[in-house]
Amino acid sequence: MTVKAQQYPWMLAPARRLLQDMARLPHALLLTGPYGLGKTAFAAHMAEMLFCGHPDSAALSVCGQCQNCRLLAAGTHPDLQWVAPAEAGKAIIIDQIRALAEFLHLRPHIGLRKIVVFAPAEAMNTNAANALLKLLEEPPPDSLLMLVSSDPARLPGTVRSRCQRLTFPLPARDEALAWLRTAEGFPGGEAELLLDLAGGAPLRALELAREGFLPVRNDLLADLEALGNGKTDPVSCAARWKAHGTRRCLEWLEGGVMDLIRGSMAGSPGTRTNPDLRERLHVLQKRLDLNQLFRFLETVTGGRRLLGGPLDELLLVEDILIRWTRLARQK
Ligand SMILES: [Zn+2]
């Protein structure tokens, strides 16, 4: 696996800070912050800057000509390793960490140091994390480990505490919108809708657009309405939601329920994440009980956090939609 280095405008200041003091670069960095900011591309960019023989530290760009740059561009730099699950959704396993130990104890081939990027680091299973812990306890010389994680709570505290943490905040809304409009060409209204649905994370917004998620929300809301009216059942809905992608459906549901809660508390059809669905959400909101909505939100949030674990996704969504059906049919 290799990830293309990118310089997103909201990542420039942290990059500058990190590169300013190369002498004090730690052995291990934990790059955290919400999903969809470009943390992995940031790690790739840092690797480029650290390997290049003639980097431009003002422009934060590399020469593109030296041996390091050419090997990086070809994805064959011998001093850089990426550690990722063999398949999406699977774990990083101990064999991958063991192979790394050998790599790290050799001297750098052509660079000044060896760099390893773990992405997503929280995919490490317990055995792999324990093996990594040994490396972190006695860091091999001339090496930099970068752990990229949007969910660092899933890493053992012992691993986290041995890394210097760099947390990326969400970019300012204006900056993210400007990027979606100019760099990616989304019209103004659509950029706002996507960014709100993505919780403010610009690359997540881009991903939602590429996945064609905007129209999917209509189907999800129609299912919620139909469940309340007894026109469909949770089991067939759950199968549809799984086909749409469980994670993004539950993320949307979480935002939608927060919209309903906000609307309910304000006594008006307030919606931050689905302004185009305002009227339909308002109709729904009028027959829901606020206390029960809060409880349902906990269920959705809890369920979303279980994703990626050993649980059966379909059963999880079924359970959530059964609870929704009870909630929506009460009044
Ligand atoms: Zn170079």
Side-chain angles (χ1 to χ4, degrees), residues 48 51-55 62-70:
E48 277 190 0
F51 279 131
C52 173
H54 314 282
V62 292
C63 77
Q65 306 294 321
C66 69
Q67 189 189 12
N68 281 287
C69 281
R70 287 203 308 269

Side-chain angles (χ1 to χ4, degrees), residues 238-259:
R240 279 196 293 278
W241 285 39
K242 193 176 175 217
H244 284 311
T246 306
R247 181 174 298 277
R248 57 185 194 163
C249 289
L250 291 189
E251 280 171 2
W252 175 80
L253 182 60
E254 198 176 13
V257 173
M258 283 194 247
D259 276 349

Side-chain angles (χ1 to χ4, degrees), residues 3-306:
V3 169
K4 203 166 168 286
Q6 288 279 351
Q7 291 194 45
Y8 298 109
W10 53 90
M11 290 299 209
L12 295 181
R16 213 158 259 137
R17 273 197 301 278
L18 192 66
L19 292 168
Q20 230 158 33
D21 204 354
M22 304 262 275
R24 282 177 37 206
L25 209 61
H27 289 292
L29 273 172
L30 175 58
L31 309 178
T32 67
Y35 176 82
L37 298 185
K39 297 184 294 298
T40 309
F42 175 90
H45 180 215
M46 287 303 95
E48 277 190 0
M49 290 295 291
L50 292 169
F51 279 131
C52 173
H54 314 282
D56 180 338
S57 49
L60 292 177
S61 59
V62 292
C63 77
Q65 306 294 321
C66 69
Q67 189 189 12
N68 281 287
C69 281
R70 287 203 308 269
L71 288 167
L72 284 168
T76 53
H77 198 293
D79 297 321
L80 175 65
Q81 291 245 342
W82 287 86
V83 180
E87 262 177 72
K90 292 275 178 341
I92 293 174
I93 58 173
I94 188 166
D95 289 347
Q96 292 174 275
I97 309 295
R98 282 198 185 124
L100 211 56
E102 287 171 31
F103 163 78
L104 284 170
H105 283 98
L106 295 171
R107 295 174 59 82
H109 288 83
I110 51 168
L112 296 172
R113 57 171 69 74
K114 284 154 298 180
I115 297 180
V116 183
V117 185
F118 303 78
E122 73 273 11
M124 255 180 286
N125 65 21
T126 310
N127 288 340
N130 285 336
L132 175 66
L133 187 59
K134 291 209 183 75
L135 288 175
L136 292 170
E137 281 168 342
E138 289 171 42
D142 312 318
S143 61
L144 171 65
L145 309 183
M146 286 192 268
L147 282 67
V148 180
S149 179
S150 304
D151 194 0
R154 284 173 59 191
L155 285 166
T158 44
V159 166
R160 286 199 306 265
S161 68
R162 280 176 177 79
C163 301
Q164 185 176 311
R165 192 164 177 154
L166 186 57
T167 304
F168 299 98
L170 286 172
R173 185 176 166 78
D174 287 348
E175 189 174 41
L177 285 175
W179 179 79
L180 283 168
R181 284 173 188 147
T182 54
E184 298 297 328
F186 288 103
E190 197 176 332
E192 287 193 45
L193 187 53
L194 286 166
L195 189 66
D196 286 339
L197 283 167
L203 300 184
R204 178 69 184 134
L206 187 60
E207 196 174 74
L208 288 171
R210 288 188 178 149
E211 289 170 348
F213 189 66
L214 288 185
V216 170
R217 295 170 311 134
N218 283 308
D219 300 346
L220 301 182
L221 183 55
D223 277 342
L224 294 181
E225 291 162 342
L227 284 168
N229 297 330
K231 287 181 182 156
T232 185
D233 64 283
V235 175
S236 52
C237 273
R240 279 196 293 278
W241 285 39
K242 193 176 175 217
H244 284 311
T246 306
R247 181 174 298 277
R248 57 185 194 163
C249 289
L250 291 189
E251 280 171 2
W252 175 80
L253 182 60
E254 198 176 13
V257 173
M258 283 194 247
D259 276 349
L260 289 168
I261 288 175
R262 270 192 290 269
S264 204
M265 290 175 79
S268 66
T271 165
R272 191 171 296 170
T273 50
N274 299 283
D276 52 334
L277 304 175
R278 187 186 304 263
E279 291 314 316
R280 286 166 67 191
L281 280 166
H282 187 51
V283 171
L284 211 51
Q285 174 205 311
K286 282 192 283 195
R287 62 178 201 219
L288 298 168
D289 176 78
L290 182 59
N291 285 324
Q292 293 194 1
L293 265 178
F294 272 114
R295 240 169 280 143
F296 182 67
L297 178 62
E298 280 174 28
T299 304
V300 178
T301 306
R304 184 182 52 74
R305 289 203 179 124
L306 288 173

